[in-house]
Coordinates of all heavy atoms in Angstrom, one line a residue:
M3 N 7.7 18.9 83.2 CA 8.2 17.6 82.9 C 8.1 17.5 81.4 O 7.1 17.9 80.8 CB 7.3 16.6 83.7 CG 7.6 15.2 83.4 SD 6.5 13.9 84.2 CE 5.5 14.8 85.3
S4 N 8.9 16.8 80.7 CA 8.9 16.6 79.3 C 9.4 15.3 79.0 O 9.6 14.3 79.9 CB 9.7 17.6 78.6 OG 11.1 17.4 78.9
G5 N 9.4 14.8 77.7 CA 9.8 13.5 77.4 C 8.7 12.5 77.5 O 7.5 12.8 77.5
L6 N 9.1 11.2 77.6 CA 8.0 10.1 77.6 C 7.3 10.1 78.9 O 6.0 9.9 78.8 CB 8.8 8.8 77.6 CG 9.4 8.5 76.2 CD1 10.4 7.2 76.3 CD2 8.4 8.3 75.2
L7 N 7.8 10.5 80.0 CA 7.1 10.4 81.3 C 5.9 11.4 81.3 O 4.8 11.1 81.8 CB 8.1 10.9 82.5 CG 7.5 10.7 83.9 CD1 7.0 9.3 84.1 CD2 8.6 11.1 84.8
S8 N 5.9 12.5 80.6 CA 4.8 13.4 80.5 C 3.7 12.9 79.7 O 2.6 13.4 79.7 CB 5.3 14.7 79.9 OG 5.7 14.6 78.6
T9 N 3.9 11.8 78.9 CA 2.8 11.2 78.2 C 2.1 10.1 78.9 O 1.1 9.5 78.4 CB 3.3 10.6 76.8 OG1 4.2 9.6 77.1 CG2 4.1 11.7 76.0
I10 N 2.6 9.7 80.0 CA 2.0 8.6 80.9 C 1.0 9.1 81.9 O 1.4 9.8 82.8 CB 3.1 7.7 81.5 CG1 4.1 7.3 80.5 CG2 2.6 6.5 82.2 CD1 3.6 6.4 79.4
D11 N -0.2 8.8 81.8 CA -1.2 9.1 82.8 C -1.8 7.9 83.4 O -2.6 7.9 84.4 CB -2.3 10.0 82.3 CG -1.9 11.3 81.9 OD1 -1.1 12.0 82.8 OD2 -2.2 12.0 80.8
S12 N -1.6 6.7 82.7 CA -2.2 5.5 83.1 C -1.5 4.2 82.6 O -0.6 4.5 81.7 CB -3.7 5.3 82.6 OG -3.7 5.1 81.3
P13 N -1.6 3.1 83.3 CA -0.9 1.9 82.7 C -1.2 1.7 81.2 O -0.5 1.2 80.5 CB -1.4 0.8 83.5 CG -1.9 1.4 84.8 CD -2.4 2.8 84.4
H14 N -2.4 2.1 80.8 CA -2.8 2.0 79.3 C -1.8 2.8 78.4 O -1.4 2.2 77.4 CB -4.2 2.3 79.1 CG -4.6 2.3 77.7 ND1 -4.8 1.0 77.0 CD2 -4.8 3.2 76.8 CE1 -5.1 1.3 75.8 NE2 -5.2 2.6 75.6
D15 N -1.5 3.9 79.0 CA -0.5 4.7 78.3 C 0.9 4.1 78.2 O 1.5 4.2 77.1 CB -0.3 6.2 78.9 CG -1.6 6.9 78.9 OD1 -2.5 6.7 77.9 OD2 -1.8 7.8 79.8
L16 N 1.3 3.5 79.1 CA 2.6 2.9 79.2 C 2.6 1.7 78.2 O 3.5 1.5 77.5 CB 2.9 2.3 80.6 CG 4.0 1.3 80.8 CD1 5.3 2.4 80.8 CD2 4.0 0.6 82.1
R17 N 1.4 1.0 78.2 CA 1.5 -0.1 77.2 C 1.4 0.2 75.7 O 1.7 -0.6 75.0 CB 0.3 -1.0 77.5 CG 0.4 -1.9 78.9 CD -0.7 -2.9 79.1 NE -1.8 -2.4 79.4 CZ -2.2 -2.0 80.6 NH1 -1.3 -2.1 81.6 NH2 -3.5 -1.4 80.8
R18 N 1.2 1.4 75.5 CA 1.2 1.9 74.0 C 2.7 2.3 73.5 O 2.9 2.4 72.4 CB 0.4 3.2 73.9 CG -1.1 2.9 74.0 CD -2.0 4.0 73.5 NE -1.8 5.0 74.5 CZ -2.6 6.2 74.5 NH1 -3.4 6.5 73.6 NH2 -2.4 7.1 75.4
L19 N 3.7 2.3 74.6 CA 5.0 2.5 74.1 C 5.6 1.3 73.5 O 5.1 0.2 73.8 CB 5.8 3.0 75.4 CG 5.3 4.3 76.2 CD1 6.3 4.5 77.4 CD2 5.5 5.4 75.2
S20 N 6.5 1.5 72.7 CA 7.3 0.3 72.1 C 8.3 -0.2 73.2 O 8.5 0.6 74.1 CB 8.0 0.7 70.9 OG 9.1 1.6 71.3
R21 N 8.7 -1.3 73.0 CA 9.8 -1.8 74.0 C 11.0 -1.1 74.0 O 11.7 -0.9 74.9 CB 10.1 -3.4 73.6 CG 8.9 -4.2 73.8 CD 9.2 -5.7 73.6 NE 10.3 -6.1 74.5 CZ 10.9 -7.3 74.4 NH1 10.6 -8.1 73.3 NH2 11.8 -7.6 75.3
Q22 N 11.4 -0.4 72.9 CA 12.5 0.4 72.8 C 12.4 1.6 73.6 O 13.4 2.3 74.0 CB 12.9 0.8 71.4 CG 13.3 -0.5 70.5 CD 12.2 -1.4 70.1 OE1 11.1 -0.9 70.0 NE2 12.6 -2.6 69.8
Q23 N 11.2 2.2 73.9 CA 10.9 3.3 74.6 C 11.1 3.1 76.2 O 11.0 4.0 76.9 CB 9.7 3.9 74.2 CG 9.6 4.5 72.9 CD 8.2 5.0 72.5 OE1 7.3 4.2 72.4 NE2 8.0 6.2 72.2
L24 N 11.0 1.8 76.5 CA 10.8 1.5 78.0 C 12.2 1.9 78.7 O 12.2 2.4 79.8 CB 10.5 0.2 78.2 CG 9.2 -0.4 77.6 CD1 8.9 -1.9 78.0 CD2 8.0 0.5 78.1
R25 N 13.4 1.6 78.2 CA 14.5 2.0 78.8 C 14.6 3.6 79.0 O 15.0 4.0 80.2 CB 15.8 1.5 78.1 CG 17.1 2.1 78.6 CD 17.9 1.3 79.4 NE 17.8 -0.1 79.4 CZ 18.2 -1.0 80.3 NH1 18.7 -0.5 81.4 NH2 18.0 -2.2 80.1
P26 N 14.5 4.4 78.0 CA 14.5 5.9 78.2 C 13.4 6.4 79.3 O 13.8 7.2 80.0 CB 14.1 6.4 76.8 CG 14.6 5.4 75.8 CD 14.3 4.1 76.6
L27 N 12.3 5.6 79.3 CA 11.3 5.9 80.4 C 11.8 5.6 81.7 O 11.5 6.4 82.6 CB 9.9 5.2 80.0 CG 8.9 5.3 81.2 CD1 8.4 6.8 81.2 CD2 7.6 4.3 80.9
A28 N 12.5 4.5 81.9 CA 13.1 4.1 83.2 C 14.1 5.2 83.6 O 14.2 5.6 84.7 CB 13.7 2.8 83.1
D29 N 14.9 5.7 82.6 CA 15.9 6.8 82.9 C 15.2 8.0 83.4 O 15.6 8.6 84.3 CB 16.7 7.0 81.7 CG 17.7 5.8 81.2 OD1 17.9 4.9 82.1 OD2 18.1 5.9 80.1
E30 N 14.2 8.4 82.7 CA 13.4 9.6 83.1 C 12.8 9.4 84.5 O 12.8 10.3 85.3 CB 12.2 9.9 82.1 CG 12.7 10.4 80.8 CD 11.6 10.7 79.9 OE1 10.6 11.3 80.3 OE2 11.7 10.4 78.7
L31 N 12.2 8.2 84.8 CA 11.6 8.0 86.1 C 12.8 8.0 87.2 O 12.5 8.6 88.3 CB 11.0 6.6 86.3 CG 9.6 6.5 85.5 CD1 9.2 5.0 85.4 CD2 8.6 7.2 86.4
R32 N 13.9 7.4 87.0 CA 15.0 7.6 87.9 C 15.3 9.1 88.1 O 15.5 9.4 89.3 CB 16.2 6.8 87.4 CG 16.2 5.3 88.1 CD 17.5 4.7 87.8 NE 17.2 3.5 87.1 CZ 17.1 3.4 85.8 NH1 17.3 4.4 85.1 NH2 16.8 2.2 85.2
E33 N 15.5 9.8 87.1 CA 15.9 11.3 87.2 C 14.8 12.0 88.0 O 15.1 12.8 88.8 CB 16.1 11.9 86.0 CG 16.5 13.3 85.8 CD 17.9 13.5 86.6 OE1 18.7 12.7 86.6 OE2 18.0 14.6 87.3
F34 N 13.5 11.7 87.8 CA 12.5 12.3 88.5 C 12.5 11.9 90.0 O 12.4 12.9 90.9 CB 11.1 11.8 88.0 CG 9.9 12.3 88.8 CD1 9.4 13.6 88.5 CD2 9.3 11.5 89.7 CE1 8.3 14.0 89.2 CE2 8.2 12.0 90.4 CZ 7.7 13.2 90.2
L35 N 12.8 10.6 90.3 CA 13.0 10.3 91.7 C 14.1 11.0 92.4 O 14.1 11.5 93.5 CB 13.2 8.7 91.8 CG 11.9 7.9 91.5 CD1 12.4 6.4 91.5 CD2 11.1 8.1 92.6
V36 N 15.3 11.1 91.8 CA 16.4 11.8 92.3 C 16.1 13.3 92.6 O 16.4 13.8 93.7 CB 17.7 11.6 91.3 CG1 18.9 12.5 91.7 CG2 18.2 10.1 91.3
Q37 N 15.6 13.9 91.6 CA 15.2 15.3 91.8 C 14.2 15.5 93.0 O 14.3 16.5 93.7 CB 14.7 15.9 90.5 CG 15.7 16.0 89.4 CD 15.2 16.6 88.1 OE1 14.0 17.0 88.1 NE2 16.0 16.6 87.1
S38 N 13.2 14.6 93.0 CA 12.2 14.8 94.1 C 12.8 14.6 95.4 O 12.5 15.4 96.3 CB 11.1 13.7 93.8 OG 10.4 14.0 92.6
V39 N 13.6 13.6 95.7 CA 14.2 13.2 96.9 C 15.2 14.4 97.3 O 15.4 14.6 98.4 CB 14.9 11.8 96.9 CG1 15.6 11.6 98.1 CG2 13.8 10.8 96.7
A40 N 15.9 14.9 96.3 CA 16.8 16.0 96.5 C 16.1 17.2 97.1 O 16.6 18.0 97.9 CB 17.6 16.4 95.2
R41 N 14.9 17.4 96.7 CA 14.2 18.6 97.2 C 13.5 18.3 98.6 O 13.5 19.2 99.4 CB 13.0 18.9 96.2 CG 13.4 19.7 95.1 CD 12.1 20.3 94.3 NE 11.1 19.4 94.0 CZ 11.0 18.5 93.0 NH1 12.0 18.5 92.1 NH2 10.1 17.7 92.7
T42 N 13.1 17.1 98.7 CA 12.2 16.8 100.0 C 13.0 16.0 101.1 O 12.6 15.9 102.2 CB 11.0 16.1 99.7 OG1 11.3 14.8 99.0 CG2 10.1 16.8 98.7
G43 N 14.0 15.3 100.6 CA 14.8 14.5 101.5 C 14.2 13.1 101.6 O 13.1 12.8 101.1
G44 N 14.9 12.2 102.1 CA 14.4 10.8 102.3 C 15.2 9.9 101.6 O 16.3 10.1 101.1
H45 N 14.8 8.5 101.7 CA 15.5 7.4 101.1 C 14.9 7.1 99.7 O 13.7 7.1 99.6 CB 15.4 6.2 102.0 CG 15.9 6.5 103.4 ND1 17.3 6.4 103.6 CD2 15.2 6.6 104.5 CE1 17.4 6.6 105.0 NE2 16.3 6.9 105.5
F46 N 15.8 6.7 98.9 CA 15.3 6.4 97.5 C 16.0 5.3 96.9 O 15.6 4.9 95.7 CB 15.2 7.6 96.6 CG 16.6 8.2 96.3 CD1 17.4 7.7 95.1 CD2 17.3 9.0 97.2 CE1 18.6 8.3 94.8 CE2 18.5 9.5 96.7 CZ 19.1 9.1 95.6
S47 N 16.9 4.6 97.5 CA 17.6 3.4 96.8 C 16.6 2.3 96.4 O 16.7 1.7 95.4 CB 18.8 3.0 97.7 OG 18.3 2.6 98.9
S48 N 15.7 2.0 97.3 CA 14.8 0.9 96.9 C 13.9 1.3 95.8 O 13.5 0.6 95.0 CB 14.0 0.5 98.2 OG 13.2 1.7 98.7
N49 N 13.5 2.5 95.8 CA 12.7 3.1 94.5 C 13.5 2.9 93.3 O 13.0 2.5 92.3 CB 12.3 4.6 94.8 CG 11.4 4.7 96.0 OD1 10.5 3.9 96.2 ND2 11.5 5.8 96.7
L50 N 14.7 3.3 93.2 CA 15.5 3.2 92.1 C 15.7 1.8 91.6 O 15.8 1.6 90.4 CB 16.9 3.9 92.4 CG 17.0 5.4 92.6 CD1 18.4 5.7 92.9 CD2 16.4 6.1 91.4
G51 N 15.7 1.0 92.5 CA 16.0 -0.6 92.3 C 14.7 -1.2 91.7 O 14.8 -2.2 91.1
T52 N 13.6 -0.7 91.8 CA 12.3 -1.2 91.3 C 11.8 -0.5 90.0 O 10.7 -0.9 89.6 CB 11.2 -1.3 92.4 OG1 10.9 0.1 92.8 CG2 11.8 -2.1 93.6
V53 N 12.5 0.4 89.5 CA 12.0 1.1 88.4 C 11.6 0.2 87.3 O 10.5 0.2 86.6 CB 12.9 2.3 87.9 CG1 12.4 2.9 86.6 CG2 13.0 3.4 88.9
E54 N 12.7 -0.5 86.8 CA 12.4 -1.5 85.7 C 11.3 -2.6 85.9 O 10.5 -2.9 85.1 CB 13.7 -2.2 85.2 CG 14.7 -1.2 84.5 CD 15.6 -0.4 85.3 OE1 15.4 -0.6 86.6 OE2 16.4 0.2 84.8
L55 N 11.4 -3.1 87.2 CA 10.4 -4.1 87.6 C 8.9 -3.5 87.5 O 8.1 -4.1 86.9 CB 10.7 -4.5 89.0 CG 9.6 -5.5 89.6 CD1 9.6 -6.8 88.9 CD2 10.0 -5.7 91.2
T56 N 8.9 -2.3 88.0 CA 7.5 -1.7 88.0 C 7.0 -1.4 86.6 O 5.8 -1.8 86.2 CB 7.5 -0.4 88.7 OG1 7.9 -0.6 90.1 CG2 6.1 0.2 88.7
I57 N 7.9 -0.9 85.7 CA 7.5 -0.7 84.3 C 7.2 -2.0 83.6 O 6.2 -2.2 83.0 CB 8.7 0.0 83.5 CG1 8.8 1.4 84.0 CG2 8.4 0.0 82.0 CD1 10.1 2.2 83.5
A58 N 7.9 -3.0 83.9 CA 7.6 -4.4 83.3 C 6.4 -5.0 83.7 O 5.6 -5.5 82.9 CB 8.8 -5.3 83.6
V59 N 6.0 -4.9 85.0 CA 4.8 -5.5 85.6 C 3.7 -4.7 84.9 O 2.7 -5.3 84.4 CB 4.8 -5.3 87.1 CG1 3.4 -5.6 87.5 CG2 5.8 -6.3 87.7
H60 N 3.7 -3.4 84.8 CA 2.6 -2.7 84.2 C 2.5 -2.9 82.7 O 1.4 -2.8 82.1 CB 2.6 -1.2 84.5 CG 2.3 -0.9 85.9 ND1 1.0 -1.0 86.4 CD2 3.0 -0.4 87.0 CE1 1.0 -0.6 87.7 NE2 2.2 -0.3 88.1
Y61 N 3.6 -3.1 82.0 CA 3.7 -3.4 80.6 C 3.1 -4.7 80.3 O 2.3 -4.9 79.3 CB 5.1 -3.2 80.1 CG 5.2 -3.1 78.6 CD1 5.0 -1.8 78.0 CD2 5.7 -4.1 77.8 CE1 5.1 -1.6 76.6 CE2 5.8 -3.9 76.4 CZ 5.6 -2.8 75.9 OH 5.7 -2.6 74.5
V62 N 3.4 -5.7 81.0 CA 3.0 -7.0 80.7 C 1.4 -7.3 81.3 O 0.7 -8.0 80.5 CB 3.9 -8.0 81.3 CG1 3.5 -9.5 81.2 CG2 5.3 -7.9 80.6
F63 N 1.2 -6.9 82.4 CA -0.2 -7.3 82.9 C -1.1 -6.1 82.7 O -0.8 -5.0 82.3 CB -0.1 -7.5 84.4 CG 0.7 -8.6 84.9 CD1 1.9 -8.6 85.3 CD2 0.1 -9.9 84.8 CE1 2.7 -9.7 85.6 CE2 0.8 -11.0 85.1 CZ 2.2 -11.0 85.6
D64 N -2.4 -6.5 82.8 CA -3.5 -5.5 82.4 C -3.9 -4.8 83.7 O -5.0 -5.0 84.2 CB -4.7 -6.3 81.7 CG -5.9 -5.4 81.4 OD1 -5.7 -4.2 81.3 OD2 -6.9 -5.9 81.2
T65 N -3.0 -4.0 84.3 CA -3.3 -3.1 85.4 C -4.2 -2.0 84.9 O -4.0 -1.5 83.8 CB -2.0 -2.7 86.1 OG1 -1.2 -2.0 85.0 CG2 -1.3 -3.9 86.7
P66 N -5.1 -1.6 85.7 CA -5.4 -1.9 87.1 C -6.4 -3.2 87.1 O -6.8 -3.5 88.2 CB -6.1 -0.7 87.6 CG -6.8 0.1 86.4 CD -5.8 -0.3 85.3
H67 N -6.8 -3.6 86.0 CA -7.7 -4.9 86.0 C -7.1 -6.1 86.7 O -7.6 -6.6 87.6 CB -8.1 -5.2 84.6 CG -9.1 -6.4 84.5 ND1 -8.7 -7.7 84.3 CD2 -10.5 -6.5 84.7 CE1 -9.8 -8.4 84.4 NE2 -10.8 -7.8 84.6
D68 N -5.8 -6.3 86.3 CA -5.1 -7.3 87.1 C -4.6 -6.7 88.3 O -4.0 -5.7 88.3 CB -3.9 -7.9 86.2 CG -4.3 -8.7 85.0 OD1 -5.5 -9.2 85.0 OD2 -3.4 -8.7 84.1
R69 N -4.9 -7.4 89.5 CA -4.4 -6.8 90.7 C -3.0 -7.1 91.1 O -2.5 -8.2 90.8 CB -5.4 -7.3 91.8 CG -6.8 -7.1 91.6 CD -7.0 -5.5 91.8 NE -8.5 -5.3 91.6 CZ -8.9 -4.2 91.7 NH1 -8.3 -3.1 91.9 NH2 -10.3 -4.0 91.6
L70 N -2.3 -6.2 91.6 CA -0.9 -6.3 92.2 C -0.9 -6.1 93.6 O -1.6 -5.3 94.1 CB 0.0 -5.3 91.4 CG 0.1 -5.2 90.0 CD1 1.0 -4.1 89.5 CD2 0.7 -6.6 89.5
V71 N 0.0 -6.8 94.3 CA 0.2 -6.7 95.7 C 1.7 -6.3 95.9 O 2.5 -7.3 95.5 CB -0.3 -7.9 96.5 CG1 0.0 -7.7 97.9 CG2 -1.8 -8.1 96.2
W72 N 2.0 -5.2 96.4 CA 3.5 -4.9 96.8 C 3.5 -5.1 98.2 O 2.9 -4.5 99.0 CB 3.7 -3.5 96.3 CG 3.8 -3.3 94.9 CD1 2.7 -2.7 94.2 CD2 4.7 -3.5 94.0 NE1 3.0 -2.7 92.8 CE2 4.3 -3.0 92.7 CE3 6.1 -3.9 94.1 CZ2 5.1 -3.2 91.5 CZ3 6.9 -4.0 93.0 CH2 6.5 -3.7 91.7
D73 N 4.5 -6.0 98.6 CA 4.9 -6.1 100.0 C 6.0 -5.2 100.4 O 7.1 -5.5 100.0 CB 5.2 -7.6 100.3 CG 5.6 -7.8 101.8 OD1 5.5 -6.9 102.6 OD2 5.9 -9.0 102.1
V74 N 5.7 -4.1 101.1 CA 6.7 -3.1 101.4 C 7.2 -3.2 102.9 O 7.8 -2.4 103.3 CB 6.3 -1.7 101.1 CG1 6.1 -1.6 99.6 CG2 5.0 -1.4 101.8
G75 N 6.8 -4.3 103.5 CA 7.1 -4.6 104.9 C 8.8 -4.8 105.0 O 9.4 -5.1 104.1
H76 N 9.2 -4.6 106.3 CA 10.5 -4.7 106.5 C 10.8 -6.0 107.2 O 10.5 -6.3 108.2 CB 11.0 -3.5 107.3 CG 10.9 -2.1 106.6 ND1 9.8 -1.7 106.2 CD2 12.0 -1.4 106.2 CE1 10.1 -0.6 105.5 NE2 11.3 -0.3 105.6

């Protein structure tokens, strides 16, 4: 793994990025998801749809100090 994604180990690392770096990070995350699902199989459309949302939430809030609840029920 290379690029911005390889520099992220925690939400703190994400918040150190500039706003201009967030779109390329989202692109890298989507590519990682596509490659992973291509190897293992499964569904990934919902994952692709939440990439920007997830980045934004971690960028704006002080995670993991601020608690997040994801409702993944059907």
Side-chain angles (χ1 to χ4, degrees):
M3 182 181 355
S4 63
L6 292 170
L7 190 54
S8 66
T9 68
I10 306 296
D11 289 320
S12 71
H14 178 72
D15 296 331
L16 174 72
R17 287 188 290 277
R18 287 191 294 185
L19 298 177
S20 70
R21 289 183 65 191
Q22 291 76 23
Q23 291 174 300
L24 298 181
R25 168 100 27 200
L27 177 64
D29 294 340
E30 287 182 42
L31 279 168
R32 265 193 236 83
E33 182 60 31
F34 175 80
L35 288 169
V36 168
Q37 289 178 9
S38 297
V39 172
R41 280 192 313 273
T42 61
H45 302 283
F46 65 96
S47 61
S48 60
N49 293 325
L50 293 177
T52 61
V53 169
E54 284 88 358
L55 173 63
T56 304
I57 289 172
V59 166
H60 285 293
Y61 195 76
V62 172
F63 292 100
D64 184 19
T65 56
H67 182 262
D68 293 337
R69 301 291 180 179
L70 299 177
V71 176
W72 293 96
D73 181 358
V74 297
H76 291 66

